[in-house]
Every structure is written in C-alpha cells, then in structure tokens.
C-alpha cells in the first residue's frame, strides 16, 4: 500500500511534466466541454446536463489511455527492471497506474462540472453522490482496461494501435459522442455490450433523472466486476523485462475482462431498460428544448421502436477481444 | 570456516540455442570484492542477473545471503543492491526524487542527503535524469544501489563506456566501499579494474569459469610466460616471429609486436639472430611480468579485448 502511494506520487509528477499528457487529459476534455456545451446546446440550458454526461464520459474514458502507455514505455526502456530489484511488486506498480489516473482525472471532472453549472448555467447539480460513485468506478474501470492492453502488447507503438481501435469503438459504438437513441438500430444492439454505454447512460441518469447509486446498481456492478477482473488479469500477466513476450494464452485472459459486459449485454438485450431509459432521458431533453433546437434534434430518433429482443446482429461478432 | 555469502554451483542457462552458462561455480565470502572477468558474451551479466533474481536459472544451485533469489521474494530484495549493466530511469525524474523513492521501498534505509553528498550529486539534486552526464548517471545508479545498506552489492560493468577520468572516479568510490568491508560482486572486461579492485577473481569465458583465485595467484600460474613487447625498424611477418624459440604467440598492432614466451632468454637470442639475418633492427624492447590478460591469453589463446 505504502509503495503504491509513493509510486503514485512520482508517476503523477512525471505525467504532469509531460506536455502531451497535459494536453490530452486537460486541454482536450475542456475543448470538448466548450464544443458540446457551448456550441451544440445552442444556448439551450436544459440540454446542458445531457451534453455534460457525454463530456464527462469522454473525460473518464480518457483514463484508458492514461498511464498504461507510461507503463509500457517503462518496460520497453528497461526502467521497470530497475524497480524489480527493489521490493516493489507488480500489484503496487499497477495500483499506482490506476490511482494516479484517478487523481489526475478528478480535477478535470471537477472543473467541467463547475463550468457547466456556473458558465453554462446548468440548472441543478444532479445526484452528486451518484455522480461521484460513477466517476470513481468509471475511471478505475477504464484505467484497468488500459492496463489489460498494456499487458498484452510488447511495444508502445503496438499499444497505441490497439488503444486507437478500442477507443474508436468506445466513442462511436456507445452513445458517448452521439446520443444512443440517434444511432442506427444495429449499433444500439451492439452498444449494449460496451462498458462505455453503461458509463454514459449511468451519467445521464444521475445528471438528468437525478437517480441515486441504487438505481444504477447493474451498471456500477458491471463496471466494478470488469475492473476487478482486468486488474487481476493484468497482475497475472505483468512483465518486467523488455524482452519477455506475451504468453499465447494471454489474449484469452485479457478478453475475460469483458465478461461482465457480455452478461449484462445479454440480459439487457432480453429484458433491459437501458435503451428505453436512454430514450426517455433524451426525449425529456429534447422536449424541454427551445423550438428551433427541437427541430434539429428530432431529426434522427428512429428508434421509438421497442427494444429489440433479437440476439445482437452478426456485426457484433466483431466485438473487441 | 566462514559460510560464503554467495554460493553458485554448476549454474546453467540457455537462451534458445545459445548456451550462455555451461556450469558456473564459485563462491564469495562476506566482506570480499569478487570479480567476474571475461570478454563480451562470456556470461557475466547472465550470472549476475540470476543472482539478483532477475532471471531464472535453467539448472544449478544459487544462494545469496542464505536465500534463493528466485523464491525468497522481498526478504531477499531487502538484502541486495545492484547497478545493472545499463540503468534506465524516466527522463523527467529528478535526481533527488529517484533516490528518495527507492529509499522508501526498503525497511532499512539510508539518509539520502548523505548519499547525494558522498556521490557528488548535491548540486544536481534537482536536475532531471536526462540532464545528467554519463558519469553522473552512473554515480546516481551507485547511490541508488546503496540506499538500503545492502549486505551484498552487485556491480555489472560499472565503468564500461565511461571515459578514463570518470572511470577513476568510480574506482575511488568502489575502493572506499571495499575499505568499509562491503561484499561486492563486480563484473568487468577491464584487466586493470579486476587487478586493482578485486580480492579474488573468476575468469569466465564462453559460459565457464576457466580460472579462479586471487589476482596474484592467477598471475603466478601464468608465471611460466612473460610478455615481450617490441618495435622493429622494418615490419616482419607475425608467423616468422611466432616460429622463434619459446614463443607461445605473437600479434602485431600498429607496429607494436606483442609476444608471449615461456623461455625468455632463448627467445631473445633467437630473435636477435633472426633480425640480423633479415638485416632488420630492434627499435624497442620491453619484457613485462604477466598480467591477467596474459593468463586469459594462455588459457584461451585469445585476447580479452580485441
Ligand atoms: N536475453 C537474452 N536473449 C538471448 N540471448 C542472450 C540474452 N542475454 C544474453 N544472451 C546471450 O548469452 C550470452 C552471454 O551473454 P551475457 O550474459 O550478457 O554476457 P556478458 O555479460 O559477459 O557480456 C551471449 O552470447 C549473449 O548473446
Ligand atoms: Mg554483460
């Protein structure tokens, strides 16, 4: 525990001295905030919480990139093996990745929240306790997923490529950038298997419907179980040496981290309410909107259709493994 | 009879088809500076990193401070300090941060200010690692290896790639540690380093220990051969000189002929006769007592460095 904390402090300092990191973890999310809340809401205050949910989700999902890259670079450059001589375990090293991500992301979330309320005149705070729990679990889960990628790739370059692929999936197949109800039906079915979806929908719930943590327990539980599996697997697969290669079974182990979301996805597909609540939250935002905005936003939701009970289409077999 | 603090018995290690260690055995006593001397690729780093617990051996017995490096985990790591063959730290870590961080990992640790002072890094305490010179980086690596007052210190080629002046600085530091009776296992391919610093030396070549003892004993073992260095007015073929009486081998580099002879007087007589016959002359002659280099040469027929 003590070693994790020491490592956390040092790694945070190193991250803060890294311009690229600062840009992606602070400047970039704020640009998104101004874009979404400033431009897309078109001065319509009631759309602010909805947009804020997206911006927060993007910020939280950013921890996925975060310090897993730092860890891979450390391994590649032979920095990790110096730590290996000292009494430092893989667990402490991994825990410090998550903790430093959390502590570095939290201020950004706080700034976004404050700006939304005071600069963009969001009417209410939402269920703050719910927001806090979801943000915390979200960061931990996405940072753990980053660690999984770090554990099955050999070079920083490889990590970048895999991260890009998964990141695009998180962004475009989940409702994080476009509202879920506006997406084509097959993407909606697929999105039910993505951790990102539950993060976004959960945030919409606590920010718009003001529900508490209990109401989003399924989302929270899946995030927590996913994080626990991802952490355990990356500890198992941890490599200190630049030349040690990924064992063949590793990719299977890594894929096991998404089990909770496969289960949740199957359940949601059959009995779920996520798509309907997402639509409700979306519609309530749209209906409160000023007429000119309403016209724009109404264009797309073609999915007033009941949630599909069919198994996800063939496309979903492309699920990231 | 003291129990050795490092005991290595019949150690083997392969990387795929490469047999890096083919049964290495030696032991190191407490308070001793022990050297592994050998050319590149001899298996020094493999040996040392197995002893540090960084690599698993394929076979053989290893004990350090009475513990098995592979299975003793943190209890073992508390006892050792190491300078790796190449130390890497994050570019943007400050000298002081690195030292304090590593100190905090150990239950028993030294005060870091004292170490910074001792290793001449006081003015650099707030510098980034990337801003240090090669010598400063190596001194930091040494300071880091001492933060836990280790019972055993491993130094893998601590002066390789450093310029002569910096190398002497590092020698001074190691000699100081030697006076403090620190147990040190040092690897090197520099003869001077082994002769100057080590109480005992194991000469390794191609994954085997080929000679083992104090530098003086080893040299006496090679006492039969002396080194003759000569310069000639005109060049002569190496083979011709090699054919002279008592000559074990001969090599020419930049006009300097280096010969080893088992019977110096006879060699000199036949050399002079030969040169007379060729109408050539001696431009310089030196006969030297054997060094560890000569021991290596006698045992392997090759030079340590080429
Ligand atoms: N990680 C490795 N993978 C493959 N071969 C290696 C590895 N490390 C060392 N070797 C090989 O093992 C032999 C001994 O290397 P090493 O222990 O580094 O010797 P030294 O330190 O004396 O130069 C060399 O032939 C080297 O190429
Ligand atoms: Mg080496």
């Amino acid at each position: 525990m003590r070693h994790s904390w020491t490592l956390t402090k040092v790694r945070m300092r190193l991250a803060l001295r890294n311009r690229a990191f600062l840009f992606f973890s602070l400047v970039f999310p704020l640009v998104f905030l101004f874009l979404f809340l400033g431009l897309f809401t078109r001065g319509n205050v009631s759309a602010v919480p909805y947009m804020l949910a997206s911006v927060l989700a993007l910020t939280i999902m950013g921890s996925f990139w975060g310090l897993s890259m730092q860890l891979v670079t450390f391994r590649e450059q032979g920095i990790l093996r110096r730590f290996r001589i000292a009494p430092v375990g893989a667990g402490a090293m991994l825990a410090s990745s998550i903790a430093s991500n959390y502590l570095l992301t939290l201020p950004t979330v706080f700034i976004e929240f404050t700006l939304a309320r005071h600069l963009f005149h969001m009417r209410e705070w939402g269920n703050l306790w719910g927001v806090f729990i979801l943000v915390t679990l979200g960061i931990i889960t996405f940072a753990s997923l980053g660690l999984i990628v770090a554990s099955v790739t050999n070079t920083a370059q490889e990590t970048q490529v895999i991260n890009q692929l998964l990141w695009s999936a998180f962004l475009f197949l989940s409702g994080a950038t476009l509202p879920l109800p506006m997406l084509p039906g097959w993407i909606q079915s697929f999105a039910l298997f993505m951790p990102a979806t539950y993060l976004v929908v959960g945030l919409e719930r606590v920010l718009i419907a003001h529900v508490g943590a209990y109401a989003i327990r399924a989302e929270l539980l899946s995030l927590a179980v996913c994080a626990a599996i991802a952490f355990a697997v990356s500890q198992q697969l941890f490599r200190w040496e630049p030349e040690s290669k990924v064992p063949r079974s590793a990719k299977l182990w890594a894929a096991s981290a998404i089990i909770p979301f496969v289960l949740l996805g199957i359940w949601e597909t059959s009995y779920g309410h996520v798509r309907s609540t997402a639509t409700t939250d979306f519609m309530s935002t749209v209906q409160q909107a000023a007429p000119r905005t309403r016209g724009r936003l109404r264009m797309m939701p073609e999915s007033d259709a009941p949630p599909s009970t069919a198994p996800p289409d063939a496309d979903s077999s492309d699920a990231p493994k | 009879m003291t129990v050795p603090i490092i005991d290595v018995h019949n150690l083997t290690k392969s990387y795929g088809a490469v047999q890096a260690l083919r049964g290495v055995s030696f032991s190191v006593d407490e308070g001793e500076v022990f050297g592994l001397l050998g050319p590149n690729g001899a298996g020094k780093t493999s040996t040392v990193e197995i002893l540090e617990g960084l690599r698993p051996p394929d076979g053989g017995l290893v004990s350090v401070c009475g513990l098995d490096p592979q299975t003793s985990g943190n209890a073992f790591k508390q006892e050792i300090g190491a300078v790796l063959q190449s130390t890497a730290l994050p570019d943007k870590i400050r000298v002081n941060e690195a030292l304090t961080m590593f100190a905090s990992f150990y239950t028993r640790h030294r005060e870091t200010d004292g170490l910074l002072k001792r290793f001449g890094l006081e003015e650099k305490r707030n510098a980034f690692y990337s801003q240090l010179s090669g010598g400063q980086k190596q001194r930091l690596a040494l300071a880091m290896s001492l933060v836990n007052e280790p019972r055993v210190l491993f130094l893998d080629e601590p002066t390789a790639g450093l310029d002569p002046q910096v190398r002497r600085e590092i020698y001074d530091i190691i000699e100081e540690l030697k006076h403090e009776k620190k147990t040190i296992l040092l690897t090197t391919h520099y003869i001077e380093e082994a002769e100057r610093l080590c109480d005992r030396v194991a000469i390794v070549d191609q994954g085997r220990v080929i000679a083992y003892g104090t530098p003086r004993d080893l040299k006496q073992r090679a006492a039969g051969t002396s080194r003759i260095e000569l310069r000639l007015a005109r060049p002569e073929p190496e083979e011709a000189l090699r054919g002279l009486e008592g000559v074990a081998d001969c090599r020419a580099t930049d006009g300097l002929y280096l010969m080893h002879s088992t019977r110096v007087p006879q060699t000199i007589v036949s050399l002079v006769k030969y040169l007379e016959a060729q109408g050539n002359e001696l431009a310089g002659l030196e006969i030297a007592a054997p060094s560890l280099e000569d021991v290596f040469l006698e045992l392997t027929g090759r030079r340590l460095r080429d």
Side-chain angles (χ1 to χ4, degrees), chain B residues 82-145:
Chain B
V83 173
L84 297 174
Q85 179 157 348
S86 56
T87 304
L89 287 177
D91 281 349
K92 288 287 175 69
I93 198 164
R94 295 185 198 279
V95 168
N96 192 36
E97 280 168 3
L99 207 54
T100 327
M101 170 174 66
F102 276 95
S104 79
F105 293 147
Y106 296 92
T107 43
R108 168 186 73 217
H109 56 87
R110 274 198 192 177
E111 194 240 336
T112 54
D113 283 343
L115 281 171
L116 283 174
K117 195 165 175 180
R118 172 168 182 188
F119 288 93
L121 290 166
E122 255 176 331
E123 309 102 85
K124 290 286 173 188
R125 60 183 302 140
N126 287 319
F128 288 138
Y129 184 66
S130 58
Q131 295 168 331
L132 300 181
S133 70
Q136 289 165 339
K137 282 180 178 166
Q138 197 62 349
R139 278 181 301 182
L140 175 59
L142 274 161
M144 275 164 45
S145 72

Side-chain angles (χ1 to χ4, degrees), chain A residues 243, chain B residues 15 18 20 39-46 55 85:
Chain A
E243 65 256 24
Chain B
Y15 306 97
V18 181
N40 275 332
K44 303 182 297 294
T45 300
S46 301
R55 304 187 194 196
Q85 179 157 348

Side-chain angles (χ1 to χ4, degrees), chain A residues 2-3 6-7 10 13-14 17-18 74 77-89 241 243, chain B residues 49 53-54 74 77-78 80 82 84 87-90 92-94 97 101-102 104-106 128 144-145:
Chain A
R2 203 167 50 81
H3 296 173
T6 309
L7 285 168
V10 171
R13 279 194 214 122
L14 291 175
R17 286 171 198 157
N18 178 339
F74 277 10
Q77 295 178 346
I79 294 170
L80 276 189
R81 65 199 315 263
R82 183 59 189 84
F83 284 91
R84 196 181 179 192
I85 302 172
V88 179
E241 302 290 328
E243 65 256 24
Chain B
E49 293 198 346
L54 293 184
N74 287 347
K77 291 174 179 180
Q78 295 284 354
I80 65 157
L84 297 174
T87 304
L89 287 177
K92 288 287 175 69
I93 198 164
R94 295 185 198 279
E97 280 168 3
M101 170 174 66
F102 276 95
S104 79
F105 293 147
Y106 296 92
F128 288 138
M144 275 164 45
S145 72

